[in-house]
Amino acid sequence: MNQERRKAASNAYRERKVAAGIYAVRCTASGECWVGQAPDLSTIQNRIWFTLRFGGNRQASLQEAWNRHGADAFTFEVVETIEEEDEALFRDRVLKERRAHWATALGAKPI
């Protein structure tokens, strides 16, 4: 029975709908903001926080701010969700365009 539950949970995870979109990471201590794009918004915050905690984030200014102010000074928010597209190439182009828009609109650095 345990194996059946595990298989059902695995299938449900694979079949779930993922939302692609644009997110913002803000440092409340410095007022800085970074904007990024993700094909799956439900997992991106954990990925970013993990890289920051272990000092491996590729965005140097974000990593420096994290090191200087600590985790409690940071917030994560979804700023836009992109409609599901059939072709990944089209979705990627839309995400890049929307990330550029939000970086300008929020005065943020792109991730």
Side-chain angles (χ1 to χ4, degrees):
M1 188 68 173
N2 191 18
Q3 185 176 7
E4 289 176 18
R5 283 188 202 160
R6 197 173 333 153
K7 187 174 181 178
S10 177
N11 287 338
Y13 179 80
R14 271 189 254 123
E15 293 173 7
R16 71 186 167 85
K17 293 214 179 222
V18 296
I22 310 302
Y23 62 89
V25 175
R26 297 179 192 269
C27 177
T28 57
S30 68
E32 293 174 280
C33 183
W34 297 265
V35 174
Q37 66 189 51
D40 184 355
L41 289 169
S42 69
T43 61
I44 193 67
Q45 182 180 3
N46 286 338
R47 185 179 318 159
I48 293 169
W49 264 228
F50 179 84
T51 62
L52 289 167
R53 270 191 242 101
F54 291 100
N57 193 280
R58 293 182 181 179
Q59 177 53 267
S61 63
L62 175 56
Q63 186 68 61
E64 290 169 9
W66 180 277
N67 294 344
R68 188 172 44 252
H69 302 292
D72 291 339
F74 284 82
T75 63
F76 176 90
E77 67 178 286
V78 173
V79 293
E80 183 176 359
T81 302
I82 306 299
E83 293 296 320
E84 188 175 334
E85 299 294 338
D86 293 332
E87 296 183 39
L89 182 61
F90 181 70
R91 183 193 67 215
D92 291 343
R93 184 173 56 89
V94 169
L95 284 171
K96 286 178 185 175
E97 290 171 359
R98 299 309 299 160
R99 181 185 68 183
H101 164 78
W102 282 105
T104 301
L106 297 174
K109 300 170 190 125
I111 295 179

